[in-house]
C-alpha cells in the first residue's frame, strides 16, 4: 500500500480467533425469531432490552403497542426483616423434629415465616395510531434479529412499504424506534404514553411527551389502610420525536398526544428513570428526581442521529454476543426441517435482507420440531438465551428477576420476584460457560445487599454469625423466610447457593482481585452462618434442623404429610459446596490457617452424606420417607451432581448410578408389559435390559415439569455423560404452548416468541438452556477438559462451537463430523498464566501444558498440531 495510507482493521471477536482446518459447515442461518403477523398475545411479542429498560413490541399495523419496563419499579420500601420471636419457634420446631413428630414440626414452622416479597411492576406503554391501515395480504413480516438485537416490522399498505425498527441502547440508555415508508411523506401517526399505574401525562414546550407516575407503596392495594400514604417509587418516562424535513408535528393538547403528518421517516426516543436510590433508601427519602434525570438524559442524546445511536448500540451489544458461535447439522440422510416447512408455505415472503431461508415463522418451526428435530432451531434457542441475558442483566442494573425485565401485569405470577431455590441461579448459569461474565455483575451486587440484610436476620432470628437468605427476595434484598408454606419458606440455604457463583466466577476467570475484594468476604459470612447453623445429630453427624427439600412434601411415619425434617440431601450438598469453595479460596489467598477455615475443615467430614435408597435412587431426605409426588418438578437432591461438584463419575460411580435411577423414578411412567407399578421399577429390575430401555427410553428421563425443570435435567444428564437422555430433555422443552391458556401449570414448552413456559412465562429456562447445551459439549474442572461428553451424535452429527469458556481460564473451540471429534482450539485468557490441562475424549486422556497468549490446535487424537500467537490474530498484519 502507499505510504501514509491508513487501513482500519476491526479487532476480531473471540469466536473468530480460531478456525478449523478440516471441518466444513454450511453457512449459518441468520439468528432470527420470525413472525408472519402481529402479536395476538404478549408472548407473541418481540422482547428487547438493555439490562435496565425493556420493551415488548407487538407489531400492530393500524395501532402499535410497545410495552415498557424499568427494572427498579417495585412496590415496597426497605424494612426490618428480623423477628426476635423466631428463636423460640426454632427451638420448638427442632424439638419436634428430634422427637420424630415431622407433621407437627411442619405446622409449628409456620411461626418462623417472615414477610411477603414485594411486586415487580410495569412502566407503561407507547401507543401508536396509524389511521386504521390494513396491510396487503402476504406482505407482513416481523422479526427479532439476535445478531443486532433489533426488532423489525414491515408490511405494505396501498403500494407503500412501511418498516419499523426497534432497539434499546445500553450506551445511551434509550429505547429507539424508527418508522419509515418507501414513498415520500407517507408516514403519519399519533403517539401517546399510558400506564395502568397512577400517572399523569403532559407535553413540554420542546414537544416532548412526559409521563410521571408512582408505584404503590404496598404490595397489594387491599393492604392500604385509610390513614396510609400509598405512595411509593416515583418514575418518569420522556418521549422525543425526530422527523424528516418537511414533515409536520402537531400537538394534540387535549389528549396529550403528538401527531406526525407527512414524514419520510420518524424516530421515537424514550428514556425513563425512577427515584430508586438503592435497597437501603426509602423512596420517600430519595433525593433522586426522575423527571429531571429523564429530561437531562434525553437532552444528552437527542442530537445524536439514528445511525449514530444504532452504531453505538451495535458495538456494545455485539462485543458480548459475538463471543460465541454454535453451528449444528444433522446427518445428511435426515431431511432439512426448515426446507420441509417452506415447501408447505409457498407464499412466504423475504426478510429485510431478501433472505428466504429464515422467513418460516418460528412458531411453525417449534410445531415441527417433534418430527424434523431441526438442529438450527436448537442453535437459535441457544443464542436466544444469550441474547436475553445480555438484554436483561448488565453491570449496574438490578438482578434478572423471574421474568428477566419483561412484565405486562400489575400483579405478575409469583410477584416476578427473584426466586433462589433454582430460578435465580439458573438465570446466571450461562454467564460463565457462554462467555458473558460481565452480565453476572448484578448478581454479585445483589448478594452484597443480601449479606447486609441477611447478617441482621442471622443474628436476631437464628442467633448465629454470618449472613443468611431464604428462597425469595426482591429489590429491597429481602433475606428472611417467605410466607405461605414451610415447604418453600423454611429454607435458609439460598444465600449459600448463590455464594457458589462467587467461587465459580473465580474458577473461570482466575480473577484474584475479584476473589480478594468480592468473593472471599461474602463466602466468609456465608460459611460462618453455616458453621453456626449446623448442630450435633444423634448419629455423630452434623445436621441441619429444620430442613426442607424445596417445595416438596413427604409422608411421615405416622402417615401424615410433612415437609420439615432434618439434613435434607440438598442442604448437605450446598453446605459441602460452600465449604469446599472457601477452603479452595483460602488456599489461593494464603489464608488456610484462618480460624473459620479450620472450623470448616473440621465440620466438612461430619456432614450427613448422600444415601442410596432401597430402590436404588438417591434419598431426598435423611430418612427414607415415602414420596407422595415422585414426578415432582424439583430435583434438589441431585444438586451435588449439577450444578455442584461433589458427585462425579470418576469419584462416585455408585452415586451417579443412583442419580440416574432418581431421574427414572421422577418419570413414574406405567410399564404394563412388565407388570410393574411404574417404569422406574421396570427399569430397576430389568438390570439394563436393552429391549425395556428402548421401549421406555422417551419416558424414562424424568421429562415432566416446567421449562426450568427440563433444562436442569438436561444439564444433569449431560453431567452423567448420557447424550441420549440429555437430548430427550432438549426435545421435551421445544414444544409449542398455547398462549391463550393462562393458568399456572407444570408442563413446560415454548411460546411463539421462544419465551419458555412454566407456564406462565418464566425466563429461567431460556437463560439456563445455553448453559445446558454447553454442558453437553464441554465440561471442565480447573485442570480437566472433557470434550463432547454428551454429544447426541445422530442428532447433531456435524457441528462447531467457538468461544465457550471453561474452568482454569480456558477458551474452548470444538469441531466434529459424523459424531466424531475433528479439531479442538484452546487458549488461556489470563495474561502470564500457564496451565497443565488434561484433555479427555472417549476414554483417551492427554496431558498438555498451555501458556497464555498462544492458540493451540489439537486433532482428533488430542495431538497438538499447530500453535500460534494470539496477537497474530488479534492484530493481523496488513
Amino acid at each position: 500500500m502507499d505510504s501514509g495510507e491508513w487501513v482500519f482493521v476491526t479487532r476480531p471477536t473471540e469466536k473468530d480467533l480460531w478456525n478449523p482446518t478440516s471441518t466444513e459447515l454450511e453457512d449459518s442461518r441468520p439468528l432470527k425469531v420470525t413472525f408472519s403477523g402481529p402479536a395476538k398475545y404478549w408472548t407473541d411479542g418481540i422482547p428487547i432490552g438493555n439490562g435496565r429498560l425493556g420493551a415488548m413490541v407487538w407489531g400492530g399495523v393500524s395501532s402499535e403497542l410497545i410495552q415498557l419496563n424499568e427494572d427498579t419499579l417495585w412496590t415496597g420500601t426497605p424494612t426490618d426483616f428480623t423477628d426476635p420471636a423466631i428463636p423460640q419457634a426454632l427451638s420448638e420446631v427442632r424439638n419436634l423434629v428430634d422427637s420424630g413428630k415431622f407433621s407437627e414440626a411442619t405446622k409449628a414452622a409456620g411461626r418462623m415465616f417472615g414477610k411477603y416479597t414485594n411486586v415487580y411492576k410495569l412502566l407503561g406503554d407507547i401507543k401508536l395510531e396509524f389511521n386504521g391501515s390494513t396491510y396487503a395480504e402476504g406482505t407482513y413480516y416481523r422479526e427479532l434479529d439476535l445478531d443486532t438485537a433489533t426488532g423489525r416490522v414491515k408490511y405494505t399498505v396501498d403500494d407503500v412499504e412501511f418498516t419499523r425498527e426497534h432497539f434499546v441502547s445500553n450506551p445511551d440508555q434509550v429505547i429507539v424506534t424508527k418508522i419509515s415508508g418507501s414513498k415520500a411523506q407517507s408516514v403519519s401517526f399519533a403517539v401517546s404514553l399510558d400506564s395502568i399505574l397512577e400517572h399523569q401525562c403532559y407535553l413540554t414546550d420542546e414537544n416532548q411527551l412526559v409521563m410521571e407516575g408512582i408505584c404503590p407503596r404496598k404490595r397489594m392495594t387491599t393492604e392500604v389502610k385509610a390513614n396510609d400514604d400509598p405512595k411509593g417509587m416515583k418514575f418518569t418516562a420522556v418521549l422525543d420525536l425526530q422527523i424528516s424535513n418537511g414533515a409536520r408535528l402537531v400537538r394534540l393538547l387535549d389528549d396529550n398526544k403528538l401527531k406526525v403528518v407527512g414524514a419520510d421517516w420518524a424516530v421515537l426516543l424514550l428514556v425513563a428513570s425512577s427515584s430508586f436510590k438503592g435497597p437501603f433508601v426509602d423512596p420517600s427519602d430519595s433525593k433522586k428526581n426522575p423527571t429531571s434525570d429523564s429530561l437531562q438524559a434525553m437532552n444528552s442524546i437527542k442530537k445524536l442521529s439514528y445511525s449514530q445511536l444504532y452504531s453505538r448500540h451495535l458495538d456494545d451489544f455485539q462485543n458480548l454476543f459475538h463471543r460465541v458461535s454454535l453451528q449444528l447439522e444433522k446427518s445428511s440422510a435426515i431431511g432439512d426441517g426448515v426446507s420441509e416447512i417452506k415447501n408447505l408455505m409457498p407464499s412466504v415472503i423475504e426478510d429485510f435482507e431478501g433472505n428466504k431461508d429464515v422467513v418460516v415463522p418460528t412458531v411453525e418451526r417449534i410445531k415441527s420440531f417433534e418430527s424434523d428435530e431441526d438442529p438450527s432451531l436448537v442453535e437459535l434457542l441457544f443464542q436466544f438465551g444469550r441474547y436475553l441475558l445480555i438484554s436483561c442483566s448488565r453491570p449496574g442494573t438490578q438482578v434478572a428477576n423471574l421474568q428477566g425485565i419483561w412484565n405486562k401485569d400489575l400483579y405478575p405470577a409469583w410477584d416476578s420476584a427473584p426466586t433462589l431455590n433454582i430460578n435465580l441461579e439458573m438465570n446466571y448459569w450461562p454467564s460463565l460457560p457462554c462467555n458473558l461474565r460481565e452480565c453476572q455483575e448484578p448478581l454479585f451486587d445483589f448478594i452484597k445487599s443480601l449479606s447486609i440484610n441477611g447478617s441482621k436476620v442471622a443474628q436476631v432470628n437464628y442467633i448465629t454469625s454470618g449472613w443468611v437468605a431464604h428462597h425469595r427476595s426482591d429489590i429491597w434484598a429481602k433475606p428472611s423466610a417467605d410466607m405461605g408454606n414451610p415447604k418453600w419458606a423454611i429454607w435458609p440455604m439460598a444465600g449459600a447457593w448463590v455464594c457458589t457463583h462467587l467461587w465459580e466466577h473465580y474458577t473461570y476467570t482466575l480473577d484474584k482481585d475479584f476473589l480478594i475484594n468480592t468473593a472471599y468476604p461474602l463466602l466468609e459470612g456465608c460459611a460462618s452462618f453455616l458453621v453456626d447453623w449446623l448442630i450435633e445429630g444423634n448419629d455423630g453427624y452434623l445436621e441441619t434442623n429444620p430442613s426442607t427439600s424445596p417445595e416438596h412434601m413427604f409422608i411421615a411415619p405416622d402417615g401424615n404429610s410433612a415437609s420439615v425434617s432434618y439434613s435434607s440431601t440438598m442442604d448437605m450438598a450446598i453446605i459441602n459446596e460452600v465449604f469446599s469453595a472457601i477452603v479452595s479460596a483460602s488456599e489461593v489467598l494464603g489464608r488456610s490457617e484462618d480460624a473459620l477455615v479450620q472450623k470448616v475443615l473440621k465440620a466438612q467430614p461430619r456432614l450427613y452424606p448422600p444415601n442410596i435408597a432401597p430402590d436404588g435412587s438417591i434419598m431426598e431426605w435423611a430418612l427414607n420417607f415415602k414420596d407422595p409426588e415422585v414426578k415432582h418438578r424439583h430435583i434438589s437432591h441431585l444438586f451435588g451432581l449439577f450444578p455442584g461438584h461433589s458427585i462425579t463419575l470418576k469419584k462416585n460411580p455408585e452415586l451417579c448410578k443412583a442419580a440416574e435411577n432418581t431421574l427414572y423414578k421422577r418419570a413414574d411412567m406405567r410399564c404394563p408389559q412388565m407388570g410393574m407399578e411404574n417404569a422406574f421399577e421396570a427399569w430397576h429390575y430389568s438390570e439394563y435390559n436393552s429391549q425395556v430401555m428402548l421401549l421406555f427410553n422417551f419416558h424414562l428421563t424424568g421429562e415432566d415439569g416446567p421449562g426450568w425443570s427440563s433444562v436442569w435435567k438436561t444439564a444433569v444428564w449431560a453431567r452423567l455423560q448420557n447424550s441420549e437422555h440429555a437430548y430427550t430433555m432438549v426435545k421435551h422443552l421445544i414444544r409449542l404452548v398455547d398462549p391463550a391458556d393462562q393458568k399456572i401449570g407444570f408442563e413446560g414448552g415454548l411460546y411463539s416468541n421462544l419465551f419458555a413456559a412454566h407456564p406462565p412465562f418464566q425466563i429461567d429456562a431460556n437463560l439456563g438452556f445455553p448453559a445446558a447445551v454447553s454442558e453437553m459439549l464441554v465440561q471442565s474442572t480447573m485442570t480437566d477438559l472433557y470434550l463432547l461428553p454428551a454429544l447426541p451424535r445422530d442428532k447433531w452429527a456435524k457441528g462447531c462451537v467457538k468461544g465457550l469458556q471453561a474452568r482454569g481460564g480456558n477458551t474452548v473451540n470444538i469441531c466434529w463430523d459424523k459424531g466424531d471429534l475433528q479439531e479442538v482450539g484452546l487458549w488461556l485468557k489470563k495474561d502470564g498464566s500457564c496451565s497443565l490441562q488434561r484433555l479427555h475424549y472417549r476414554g483417551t486422556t492427554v496431558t498438555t501444558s498451555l501458556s497464555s497468549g498462544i492458540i493451540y490446535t489439537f486433532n482428533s487424537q488430542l495431538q497438538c498440531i499447530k500453535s500460534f500467537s494470539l496477537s497474530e490474530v488479534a492484530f493481523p498484519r496488513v
Side-chain angles (χ1 to χ4, degrees):
M1 67 181 179
D2 296 335
S3 60
E5 180 182 347
W6 288 88
V7 176
F8 293 96
V9 179
T10 303
R11 182 188 296 270
T13 58
E14 289 183 48
K15 67 181 176 63
D16 299 319
L17 294 178
W18 177 86
N19 286 296
T21 60
S22 59
T23 305
E24 294 184 2
L25 293 159
E26 297 178 0
D27 292 338
S28 296
R29 291 191 179 90
L31 295 168
K32 296 182 178 183
V33 185
T34 58
F35 309 83
S36 59
K40 295 180 180 179
Y41 300 93
W42 186 75
T43 48
D44 300 328
I46 292 174
I48 54 177
N50 67 359
R52 184 179 70 88
L53 297 172
M56 189 67 82
V57 180
W58 285 58
V61 174
S62 60
S63 63
E64 170 65 295
L65 183 66
I66 304 172
Q67 294 181 304
L68 308 171
N69 293 106
E70 202 273 353
D71 70 349
T72 64
L73 288 187
W74 285 75
T75 63
T77 64
T79 190
D80 180 4
F81 298 104
T82 65
D83 183 351
I86 284 181
Q88 183 177 350
L90 173 62
S91 178
E92 179 185 347
V93 171
R94 282 179 168 169
N95 288 334
L96 289 168
V97 168
D98 288 341
S99 300
K101 299 178 179 179
F102 302 113
S103 57
E104 290 90 337
T106 301
K107 294 175 184 176
R111 292 171 51 202
M112 298 174 62
F113 289 162
K115 298 177 172 66
Y116 283 113
T117 54
N118 276 285
V119 183
Y120 181 54
K121 297 294 186 179
L122 67 169
L123 174 65
D125 306 313
I126 300 175
K127 294 183 175 181
L128 302 171
E129 301 167 46
F130 293 93
N131 299 322
S133 305
T134 301
Y135 62 90
E137 186 71 25
T139 66
Y140 187 97
Y141 174 73
R142 183 164 55 99
E143 70 177 24
L144 170 59
D145 184 350
L146 302 184
D147 191 64
T148 62
T150 304
R152 300 186 181 95
V153 180
K154 75 172 182 178
Y155 55 89
T156 299
V157 177
D158 297 332
D159 297 326
V160 179
E161 184 175 84
F162 292 96
T163 61
R164 304 178 202 153
E165 291 186 317
H166 310 266
F167 64 89
V168 189
S169 167
N170 181 61
D172 296 306
Q173 291 294 305
V174 61
I175 299 173
V176 183
T177 292
K178 183 177 182 180
I179 305 170
S180 55
S182 60
K183 291 185 178 180
Q185 300 181 352
S186 59
V187 174
S188 298
F189 62 91
V191 59
S192 60
L193 296 175
D194 197 8
S195 177
I196 58 177
L197 295 177
E198 181 183 339
H199 72 282
Q200 63 171 352
C201 292
Y202 59 89
L203 290 166
T204 69
D205 294 338
E206 289 76 27
N207 290 328
Q208 292 175 336
L209 271 171
V210 177
M211 179 172 68
E212 297 173 336
I214 194 161
C215 274
R217 194 173 181 88
K218 302 289 186 178
R219 70 182 305 276
M220 301 287 284
T221 54
T222 55
E223 296 177 5
V224 179
K225 299 178 182 178
N227 296 326
D228 278 352
D229 177 7
K231 308 301 182 185
M233 196 91 67
K234 297 177 181 177
F235 65 90
T236 299
V238 175
L239 186 143
D240 192 89
L241 278 168
Q242 300 174 352
I243 56 177
S244 59
N245 291 333
R248 291 188 298 123
L249 188 62
V250 180
R251 294 162 57 94
L252 304 177
L253 295 176
D254 291 342
D255 296 323
N256 288 316
K257 295 180 181 179
L258 289 171
K259 187 172 184 180
V260 174
V261 181
D264 299 341
W265 54 262
V267 174
L268 286 70
L269 307 176
L270 185 130
V271 299
S273 61
S274 79
S275 58
F276 181 71
K277 189 63 176 175
F280 309 115
V281 178
D282 192 300
S284 61
D285 298 328
S286 174
K287 304 302 181 185
K288 287 192 66 178
N289 185 323
T291 299
S292 61
D293 288 349
S294 297
L295 289 170
Q296 183 177 350
M298 182 63 77
N299 288 335
S300 69
I301 62 169
K302 68 179 184 179
K303 293 183 181 179
L304 295 174
S305 67
Y306 178 81
S307 61
Q308 288 173 318
L309 289 168
Y310 191 59
S311 176
R312 288 157 61 91
H313 157 71
L314 281 185
D315 287 345
D316 169 78
F317 174 81
Q318 292 180 341
N319 175 54
L320 296 170
F321 189 73
H322 280 179
R323 291 176 182 174
V324 173
S325 65
L326 174 66
Q327 289 178 267
L328 301 173
E329 296 178 12
K330 55 187 172 182
S331 169
S332 58
I334 305 174
D336 179 350
V338 171
S339 298
E340 292 168 8
I341 304 172
K342 284 177 61 179
N343 291 336
L344 301 175
M345 302 179 64
S347 62
V348 77
I349 63 168
E350 297 178 349
D351 72 352
F352 283 82
E353 288 79 38
N355 190 332
K356 293 186 177 180
D357 286 337
V358 295
V359 295
V360 174
T362 301
V363 65
E364 298 300 327
R365 299 179 65 185
I366 298 171
K367 289 178 182 178
S368 67
F369 188 82
E370 183 176 354
S371 58
D372 66 39
E373 301 181 47
D374 176 16
S376 69
L377 185 57
V378 177
E379 294 174 22
L380 183 65
L381 191 59
F382 173 91
Q383 294 289 19
F384 183 63
R386 295 183 68 247
Y387 162 83
L388 288 177
L389 184 59
I390 297 170
S391 301
C392 73
S393 184
R394 292 290 199 99
T397 71
Q398 300 305 303
V399 74
N401 63 48
L402 206 58
Q403 296 181 180
I405 51 174
W406 298 277
N407 170 40
K408 65 179 176 62
D409 296 314
L410 197 59
Y411 298 107
W414 300 290
D415 303 329
S416 198
T419 305
L420 285 74
N421 62 10
I422 175 59
N423 315 91
L424 177 64
E425 292 86 355
M426 185 179 285
N427 284 358
Y428 288 95
W429 282 358
S431 58
L432 293 170
C434 298
N435 215 336
L436 297 172
R437 57 197 174 277
E438 299 93 333
C439 294
Q440 198 169 216
E441 288 187 24
L443 178 63
F444 301 146
D445 294 338
F446 181 64
I447 296 172
K448 289 177 186 177
S449 298
L450 273 180
S451 72
I452 294 171
N453 285 336
S455 63
K456 301 171 187 175
V457 170
Q459 181 179 2
V460 175
N461 293 21
Y462 300 137
I463 317 179
T464 67
S465 60
W467 65 274
V468 65
H470 294 72
H471 102 287
R472 289 219 304 165
S473 189
D474 55 29
I475 199 170
W476 310 110
K478 173 187 178 295
S480 57
D482 201 34
M483 294 284 285
N485 193 312
K487 70 179 181 179
W488 64 69
I490 308 304
W491 190 71
M493 293 292 118
W497 189 346
V498 293
C499 267
T500 64
H501 286 247
L502 298 165
W503 174 244
E504 286 281 52
H505 187 82
Y506 173 77
T507 65
Y508 276 86
T509 65
L510 306 182
D511 185 345
K512 197 168 181 179
D513 288 339
F514 170 82
L515 188 62
I516 294 170
N517 299 316
T518 301
Y520 200 80
L522 292 167
L523 280 168
E524 277 187 307
C526 177
S528 181
F529 166 75
L530 295 174
V531 167
D532 288 353
W533 180 250
L534 289 165
I535 58 178
E536 290 287 342
N538 295 326
D539 47 10
Y541 290 110
L542 295 175
E543 67 179 34
T544 55
N545 177 5
S547 176
T548 59
S549 190
E551 304 188 27
H552 202 184
M553 305 287 287
F554 58 83
I555 304 299
D558 62 5
N560 292 315
S561 295
S563 61
V564 174
S565 62
Y566 67 93
S567 298
S568 72
T569 302
M570 186 185 220
D571 275 13
M572 294 294 109
I574 291 176
I575 294 171
N576 189 40
E577 199 76 18
V578 172
F579 281 1
S580 294
I582 195 167
V583 169
S584 297
S586 71
E587 292 171 354
V588 174
L589 301 180
R591 300 184 58 174
S592 296
E593 299 304 316
D594 285 6
L596 175 61
V597 177
Q598 291 300 307
K599 289 182 180 179
V600 167
L601 287 169
K602 291 178 182 178
Q604 193 169 18
R606 299 183 61 204
L607 295 177
Y608 205 90
N611 287 311
I612 299 175
D615 65 6
S617 65
I618 289 180
M619 287 170 55
E620 190 163 354
W621 300 274
L623 298 178
N624 191 29
F625 296 123
K626 183 178 180 181
D627 188 345
E629 191 182 355
V630 294
K631 294 174 64 175
H632 194 269
R633 58 199 175 276
H634 284 261
I635 50 172
S636 305
H637 42 322
L638 300 187
F639 177 94
L641 179 60
F642 188 94
H645 307 282
S646 58
I647 299 175
T648 69
L649 286 167
K650 183 177 181 180
K651 292 189 304 182
N652 324 91
E654 72 290 346
L655 287 176
C656 289
K657 173 76 173 295
E660 288 188 3
N661 293 358
T662 302
L663 290 169
Y664 292 127
K665 185 178 180 179
R666 276 290 194 253
D668 190 39
M669 301 298 292
R670 290 191 174 275
C671 181
Q673 290 85 343
M674 298 294 295
M676 302 282 186
E677 179 181 356
N678 57 54
F680 164 72
E681 190 177 358
W683 177 88
H684 182 62
Y685 289 104
S686 69
E687 297 183 339
Y688 289 99
N689 180 284
S690 59
Q691 291 183 340
V692 172
M693 290 301 293
L694 284 172
L695 184 61
F696 295 102
N697 175 59
F698 185 79
H699 298 294
L700 284 176
T701 54
E703 79 272 16
D704 287 344
W708 59 260
S709 182
S710 298
V711 167
W712 194 356
K713 291 166 187 171
T714 303
V716 169
W717 278 119
R719 188 66 64 87
L720 290 168
Q721 299 188 8
N722 190 316
S723 60
E724 187 176 10
H725 290 341
Y727 180 78
T728 298
M729 298 313 306
V730 170
K731 191 172 180 180
H732 178 74
L733 179 67
I734 305 177
R735 298 175 299 116
L736 188 65
V737 175
D738 182 2
D741 187 356
Q742 297 294 309
K743 70 178 185 297
I744 292 175
F746 301 96
E747 299 82 22
L750 301 174
Y751 296 104
S752 68
N753 66 355
L754 291 185
F755 268 175
H758 190 286
F761 160 61
Q762 281 185 194
I763 204 167
D764 35 37
N766 287 119
L767 301 184
F769 184 77
V773 171
S774 71
E775 195 73 16
M776 297 170 72
L777 303 177
V778 179
Q779 294 174 24
S780 64
T781 70
M782 292 283 278
T783 55
D784 294 85
L785 283 174
Y786 297 87
L787 307 172
L788 306 180
L791 175 72
R793 300 176 64 200
D794 57 332
K795 306 298 183 180
W796 305 339
K798 190 175 184 179
C800 196
V801 63
K802 299 181 186 179
L804 291 181
Q805 301 297 285
R807 295 171 183 86
N810 291 289
T811 298
V812 184
N813 312 267
I814 309 175
C815 289
W816 64 94
D817 193 10
K818 298 179 182 178
D820 298 326
L821 178 69
Q822 296 296 304
E823 286 186 335
V824 182
L826 300 175
W827 67 85
L828 290 173
K829 279 190 172 182
K830 187 72 174 177
D831 292 340
S833 60
C834 184
S835 173
L836 196 65
Q837 291 287 328
R838 289 185 294 269
L839 307 183
H840 304 265
Y841 178 65
R842 288 190 191 168
T844 299
T845 299
V846 172
T847 301
T848 184
S849 180
L850 305 179
S851 298
S852 64
I854 305 295
I855 298 178
Y856 301 87
T857 299
F858 298 83
N859 64 14
S860 58
Q861 286 76 45
L862 304 184
Q863 299 169 330
C864 185
I865 58 174
K866 183 171 62 174
S867 64
F868 54 92
S869 171
L870 193 59
S871 61
E872 293 180 23
V873 184
F875 300 100
R877 295 175 182 173
V878 178

